[in-house]
Amino acid sequence: MNNMQTLTTHGVKVSVESFYQPAHSEPHRNRFLHVYNIQIDNQNDFTVQLLRRHWYIVESTGIVREVEGVGVINKQPVIDPGRFHAYTSYSILETDLGKMYGTYLMVRADTGEQFEVDIPAFILATPAKIN
């Protein structure tokens, strides 16, 4: 399953697409692995840098986990105007249906002003849940 979600906040567009990974999942052990691709487009006329991430991972049972940390994939990318940064990561759920959403903390390179960019909510589901 894949789905593309896009959201623009403060001139920064975040696009997310997720894919269930049956070969790396173990449903009988309540382990459902999903890969997601993210592209962060800077549509501003100034350079930005991604400082931190804050994720909410929601299981279909209602359990919510928070993940927060510096940068993404061990990087704090600098994104010039009209450019983008893309990366791939993954999440493991204990249920066959869930969702993720969150924020990135960014800083303007020219003024040092920090601001949050929303990461759109996206579904993490096994194909059986979709049909």
Side-chain angles (χ1 to χ4, degrees), residues 10-65:
H10 301 294
V12 178
K13 181 171 86 171
V14 179
S15 302
V16 185
E17 191 171 19
S18 65
F19 303 88
Y20 175 60
Q21 301 294 298
H24 300 287
S25 297
E26 299 173 289
H28 61 283
R29 297 177 121 167
N30 295 324
R31 179 183 158 91
F32 302 89
L33 190 138
H34 301 265
V35 168
Y36 54 90
N37 299 322
I38 295 193
Q39 182 168 310
I40 305 164
D41 291 279
N42 182 6
Q43 299 177 330
N44 293 296
D45 59 1
F46 51 83
T47 299
V48 299
Q49 182 176 16
L50 190 155
L51 300 176
R52 298 187 63 79
R53 70 188 183 286
H54 187 173
W55 284 105
Y56 295 92
I57 305 165
V58 184
E59 303 270 354
S60 62
T61 57
I63 294 172
V64 179
R65 290 180 285 135

